[in-house]
C-alpha cells in the first residue's frame, strides 16, 4: 500500500497547471498571482515630508537662526515651492519637500506668532530630519510581487500603488463535490431513524471555498450503478476537478472504483497506509480531470480533502507557498498500527511562543463533532509508535493562514 508521502507525490505528479485569467484587482485577494507586479514609480516618488511642521534650510539654522518668517503654506498634493533664504514654509505630512529645504521641524517644536515660526531653544535639529528620501523604499521597475504569491490584502496595496486595476491570476477551476450513499438525507428534508444526515458535501464545499476555490458545487448521487455512471459522466464533462465522498471501501454498495473505471478514469492509486482515510482513491479522467474519491466517514473525508485535494489545487494554481508547518506535540502520543496517523489537534502557544498541538481524540472516523474544536491535524510517521511531548511534527491547518 502507498505511503502518504508517495500518495501525495503521485497526486502532484499528475497535476496540470490551471490556465490564467485577468481579474479586477479589487477581487484578487486570496488568488494566486501569475504575473510580475513591477513598481510603476520609485517609492516615495519624491522627497516626502513625514511630519506636519515647517520646512527650512539647515544652513540657516546652523548659522544660529531660530526665528523664521513663514513664506507660504504647502500641503500634501501641492507642487513643491522654492524656499527663500532665511524663511520657512509651513509644511504638511505627505507633501513634497520644497526646493532648497533640507530639514523639517515638527509642529510640536515650534511656536508661531505674527507670521513668524520660532524653534524651541532646546530642540536638537538634525539635517535631513523627517524627510523620506525619494526611492528609498524601492526603485521604479522593482519586482514587488512575483508569480506564485497568494495575494494578501497587503499585496492589494502594492497592486493599487502600481496603478493596476487588473491582475493575472490562476484560473478558479470548476469543481464538483459529489457525495454518495443511500442512507444520506440533506438538511431541510424529513429523516427517518435508519438514515444519516448528509454532512460531507456542505463541509467539503466550504473547506474549498475557504481556500478560495469558489466555483465549487455539490451534488448527491445514490448508490446505484447506472445512476452513478450517468450522473458522473455529466460531471466529468462539466468539471475539471471531481471530489467524491463515500463508496470507495470494500462494501457491496461501494461502486465508485468500478464506475470510474467504466468512465475511463485512470486509477493512479487506491488505498493509502494512513488513518483515517485508508480507502482514499485518486485518478485522472480522459480529459485530464483530477478525480478524488474520498472515504465517506466524515473525519476521513475532511482529512483526505485537506491532505490531497487542497494540496493538488494549490500546486495546480502555481502557489509557491508551503501548505504545512511544524508544531510541537503537547503530550505523549502512542499509535501502534503501521500507518501514518493524522491526528486532529487544537493549537495553543506556550510562553516561549512555540505552537503546541493538543491532540483532540475523535471517537471514530465518523466523529465529526469533535473536529469543531480543532485547527488542523498533525502527521505522525508510520514507522514509529511512540511520540514524546516536545517533538516537532508536520502540522496541516484546515484553513490556510
Ligand atoms: P462509505 O465510505 O460510503 O462506506 O461511508 C462510510 C460512513 O460514512 C457511513 O457511515 C456513511 O453513512 C458515512 N457517510 C458517507 N457519506 C457521508 C456524508 N456525505 N455525510 C455524512 N456521513 C457520510
Ligand atoms: Mg456509502
Amino acid at each position: 500500500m502507498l505511503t502518504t508521502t508517495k500518495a501525495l507525490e503521485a497526486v502532484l505528479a499528475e497535476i496540470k497547471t490551471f490556465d490564467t485569467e485577468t481579474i479586477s484587482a479589487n477581487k484578487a485577494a486570496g488568488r494566486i498571482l501569475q504575473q510580475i507586479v513591477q513598481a510603476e514609480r520609485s517609492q516615495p516618488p519624491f522627497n516626502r515630508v513625514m511630519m506636519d511642521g515647517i520646512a527650512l534650510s539647515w544652513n540657516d539654522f546652523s548659522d544660529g537662526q531660530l526665528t523664521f518668517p513663514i513664506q507660504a503654506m504647502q500641503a500634501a498634493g501641492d507642487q513643491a515651492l522654492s524656499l527663500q533664504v532665511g524663511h520657512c514654509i509651513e509644511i504638511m505630512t505627505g507633501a513634497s519637500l520644497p526646493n532648497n529645504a533640507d530639514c523639517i521641524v515638527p509642529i510640536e517644536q515650534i511656536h508661531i506668532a505674527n507670521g513668524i515660526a520660532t524653534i524651541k531653544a532646546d530642540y536638537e535639529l538634525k539635517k535631513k530630519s523627517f524627510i523620506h528620501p525619494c526611492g528609498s523604499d524601492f526603485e521604479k521597475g522593482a519586482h514587488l510581487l512575483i508569480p506564485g504569491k497568494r495575494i494578501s490584502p497587503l499585496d492589494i496595496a502594492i497592486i493599487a500603488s502600481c496603478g493596476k486595476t487588473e491582475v493575472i491570476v490562476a484560473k478558479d477551476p470548476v469543481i464538483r463535490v459529489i457525495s454518495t450513499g443511500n442512507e444520506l438525507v440533506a438538511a431541510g428534508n424529513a429523516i427517518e431513524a435508519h438514515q444519516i444526515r448528509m454532512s460531507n458535501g456542505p463541509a467539503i464545499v466550504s473547506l474549498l471555498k475557504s481556500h478560495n476555490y469558489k466555483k465549487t458545487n455539490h451534488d448527491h448521487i445514490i448508490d446505484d450503478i447506472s445512476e452513478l455512471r450517468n450522473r458522473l459522466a455529466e460531471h466529468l464533462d462539466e468539471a475539471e476537478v471531481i471530489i467524491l465522498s463515500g463508496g470507495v471501501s470494500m462494501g457491496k454498495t461501494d461502486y465508485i472504483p468500478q464506475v470510474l473505471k467504466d468512465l475511463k478514469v485512470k486509477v493512479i492509486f487506491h488505498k493509502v497506509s494512513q488513518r483515517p482515510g485508508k480507502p482514499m482513491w485518486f485518478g485522472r479522467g480522459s480529459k485530464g480531470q483530477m478525480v478524488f474519491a474520498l472515504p465517506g466517514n466524515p473525519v476521513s473525508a475532511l482529512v483526505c480533502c485537506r491532505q490531497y485535494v487542497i494540496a493538488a489545487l494549490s500546486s495546480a494554481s502555481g502557489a509557491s507557498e508551503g501548505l504545512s508547518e511544524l508544531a510541537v506535540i503537547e503530550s505523549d502520543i502512542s499509535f501502534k498500527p503501521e500507518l501514518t496517523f493524522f491526528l486532529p489537534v487544537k493549537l495553543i502557544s506556550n510562553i516561549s511562543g512555540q505552537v503546541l498541538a493538543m491532540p483532540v481524540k475523535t471517537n471514530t472516523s465518523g466523529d465529526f463533532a469533535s473536529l469543531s474544536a480543532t485547527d488542523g491535524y498533525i502527521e505522525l510517521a508510520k514507522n514509529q509508535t511512540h511520540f514524546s511531548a516536545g517533538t516537532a511534527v508536520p502540522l496541516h491547518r484546515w484553513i490556510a493562514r
Side-chain angles (χ1 to χ4, degrees):
M1 206 186 311
L2 228 51
T3 62
T4 51
T5 310
K6 291 278 177 217
L8 188 56
E9 278 172 17
V11 170
L12 298 182
E14 291 292 324
I15 296 302
K16 226 177 55 191
T17 313
F18 296 139
D19 291 340
T20 59
E21 61 181 336
T22 301
I23 61 168
S24 159
N26 293 334
K27 294 189 173 153
R31 303 290 293 272
I32 305 297
L33 186 67
Q34 286 301 351
Q35 69 168 95
I36 294 172
V37 175
Q38 280 188 287
E40 181 189 35
R41 302 191 298 159
S42 295
Q43 175 64 20
F46 46 79
N47 290 320
R48 188 182 71 93
V49 171
M50 297 166 71
M51 283 283 189
D52 297 326
I54 53 171
L56 49 85
S57 157
W58 169 257
N59 274 344
D60 291 343
F61 176 81
S62 60
D63 285 348
Q65 187 179 339
L66 283 180
T67 59
F68 292 83
I70 297 171
Q71 174 191 327
M73 193 282 282
Q74 191 196 312
D78 291 347
Q79 270 201 356
L81 300 170
S82 288
L83 178 67
Q84 294 161 15
V85 177
H87 286 69
C88 72
I89 290 176
E90 268 193 293
I91 201 81
M92 305 300 140
T93 303
S96 176
L97 185 69
N99 302 319
N100 312 324
D102 57 5
C103 50
I104 305 297
V105 183
I107 189 134
E108 296 82 355
Q109 304 299 339
I110 57 173
H111 171 75
I112 295 181
N114 304 322
I116 294 180
T118 304
I119 302 176
K120 290 184 181 168
D122 59 350
Y123 183 59
E124 287 180 30
L125 179 58
K126 295 198 179 74
K127 195 172 180 181
K128 297 189 176 166
S129 53
F130 302 115
I131 297 166
H132 184 188
C134 176
S136 58
D137 289 358
F138 52 79
E139 295 287 350
K140 176 178 176 174
H143 291 193
L144 300 179
L145 297 173
I146 56 171
K149 176 82 172 65
R150 184 177 295 280
I151 300 169
S152 72
L154 313 173
D155 298 332
I156 297 290
I158 295 175
I159 293 165
S161 78
C162 290
K164 290 191 159 300
T165 56
E166 293 183 326
V167 275
I168 303 170
V169 296
K171 209 166 179 180
D172 194 8
V174 175
I175 303 179
R176 229 25 84 68
V177 175
I178 304 153
S179 53
T180 66
N182 291 347
E183 74 280 28
L184 301 167
V185 178
N189 297 311
I191 192 158
E192 300 202 35
H194 58 279
Q195 296 178 315
I196 295 283
R197 277 288 177 212
M198 183 193 295
S199 60
N200 288 353
I204 292 169
V205 168
S206 74
L207 182 60
L208 294 166
K209 288 193 172 169
S210 70
H211 281 263
N212 275 300
Y213 302 104
K214 308 283 189 200
K215 291 188 188 159
T216 303
N217 296 321
H218 171 222
D219 189 16
H220 182 79
I221 311 178
I222 56 164
D223 298 316
D224 176 275
I225 293 191
S226 69
E227 187 74 3
L228 280 166
R229 206 181 281 135
N230 295 338
R231 300 263 296 279
L232 275 180
E234 283 173 28
H235 288 305
L236 280 164
D237 260 353
E238 293 164 6
E240 298 158 79
V241 183
I242 304 280
I243 305 163
L244 288 140
S245 95
V248 277
S249 305
M250 308 297 282
K252 285 258 162 85
T253 56
D254 289 336
Y255 301 129
I256 296 298
Q258 182 56 49
V259 169
L260 290 171
K261 191 173 170 207
D262 297 346
L263 293 171
K264 306 271 181 296
V265 178
K266 180 179 143 210
V267 56
I268 307 294
F269 62 77
H270 186 190
K271 295 195 179 146
V272 182
S273 58
Q274 63 179 42
R275 182 180 293 167
K278 193 158 119 193
M280 171 77 202
W281 189 105
F282 173 68
R284 284 288 297 275
S286 55
K287 290 195 297 183
Q289 309 95 317
M290 294 186 238
V291 182
F292 299 87
L294 319 179
N297 268 312
V299 179
S300 312
L302 286 167
V303 165
C304 288
C305 181
R306 170 62 185 81
Q307 186 66 16
Y308 300 107
V309 181
I310 300 289
L313 295 174
S314 169
S315 170
S317 306
S320 54
E321 68 205 354
L323 282 174
S324 71
E325 50 192 306
L326 295 179
V328 171
I329 302 173
E330 186 254 355
S331 50
D332 287 4
I333 300 164
S334 286
F335 182 70
K336 296 265 158 49
E338 233 203 89
L339 299 168
T340 297
F341 189 24
F342 290 127
L343 176 61
V345 291
K346 173 160 186 56
L347 300 175
I348 51 168
S349 51
N350 67 10
I351 50 168
S352 325
Q354 278 180 314
V355 178
L356 293 190
M358 291 184 12
V360 174
K361 274 260 149 46
T362 50
N363 194 22
T364 62
S365 47
D367 177 14
F368 52 87
S370 306
L371 290 187
S372 174
T374 66
D375 299 295
Y377 53 89
I378 51 174
E379 181 174 352
L380 301 176
K382 172 182 163 153
N383 52 6
Q384 211 177 315
T385 55
H386 184 78
F387 303 85
S388 307
T391 312
V393 293
L395 162 74
H396 308 278
R397 292 180 194 256
W398 297 121
I399 314 285
R401 286 193 306 167

